[in-house]
Amino acid sequence: MFESTVKLLESRGVTLKEIAEVVLAIQKEYYPELTLEECLAGVEAVLRKREVQHAVLTGIALDMLAERNQLPEPLQTIVAKDDYLFGVDEILALSITNVYGSIGLTNFGYLDKTKPLIIGQLNKKKNGTCQTFLDDLVSAIAAAAASRIAHSHRE
Ligand code: MG
C-alpha cells in the first residue's frame, strides 16, 4: 500500500522529494546539518504508516471524484469550490499529524499559514482540478515528517 500511496501522490503532481524540501525548509534553522536525504527518509517513514496511507487515499479519492463531478450534492459543490467553511479536509489531515503528537499540530498550523514551496503551488487554483484535500494532506505529511525529525534529534 506504500507504493500505491506514493504513486497516487505522484499522479496528483506531488513527489516525495518535494515534500522533503518543505521539511528541510522548516527544520534547517533548528538542525543546520539536516540533509534532504534525511528529510526524504522521514517523509517515507510517515507514509509507511497505515493511518497515513488511509488518509491520503481517502482525501485524494474525494478530490478526484469532485473533478469528475461524481460526488453527491451538496458535497460536490462544497469540495469543488474548496469552500473555506468546509473543514473536513483539515480534520482528515490532522489524523496524519496526530501520529506525532502536539508538535505535529504546531508544524501543520505553520505550514497552513506560510504555504512554502509545493504547498503554495497546490494552493493556487488550476482550472478543472480539485486539490481541496491534497494541499492539507501534503502539509500534514511534511508536518509529521518534521515532527519525527524533531523527536529523533531530541533523543
Ligand atoms: Mg484544503
Side-chain angles (χ1 to χ4, degrees), residues 63-110:
D63 277 349
M64 291 169 75
L65 287 170
E67 272 175 18
R68 296 173 199 159
N69 253 302
Q70 284 174 351
L71 288 175
E73 288 295 1
L75 192 61
Q76 171 63 37
T77 304
I78 293 168
V79 175
K81 272 210 271 180
D82 199 2
D83 191 319
Y84 78 104
L85 290 175
F86 180 69
V88 180
D89 44 351
E90 275 129 46
I91 299 293
L92 184 68
L94 288 179
S95 69
I96 293 175
T97 55
N98 278 348
V99 177
Y100 295 95
S102 61
I103 185 173
L105 185 64
T106 308
N107 285 333
F108 179 73
Y110 178 76

Side-chain angles (χ1 to χ4, degrees), residues 23-85:
V23 179
L24 187 63
I26 62 168
Q27 291 300 77
K28 70 177 173 211
E29 82 174 271
Y30 307 107
Y31 312 106
E33 301 94 90
L34 191 64
T35 62
L36 186 64
E37 288 66 37
E38 217 180 320
C39 294
L40 189 59
V43 170
E44 282 178 7
V46 167
L47 282 168
R48 286 193 188 279
K49 294 210 170 261
R50 191 165 295 259
E51 54 266 70
V52 173
Q53 295 163 354
H54 287 163
V56 172
L57 297 175
T58 305
I60 292 180
L62 288 165
D63 277 349
M64 291 169 75
L65 287 170
E67 272 175 18
R68 296 173 199 159
N69 253 302
Q70 284 174 351
L71 288 175
E73 288 295 1
L75 192 61
Q76 171 63 37
T77 304
I78 293 168
V79 175
K81 272 210 271 180
D82 199 2
D83 191 319
Y84 78 104
L85 290 175

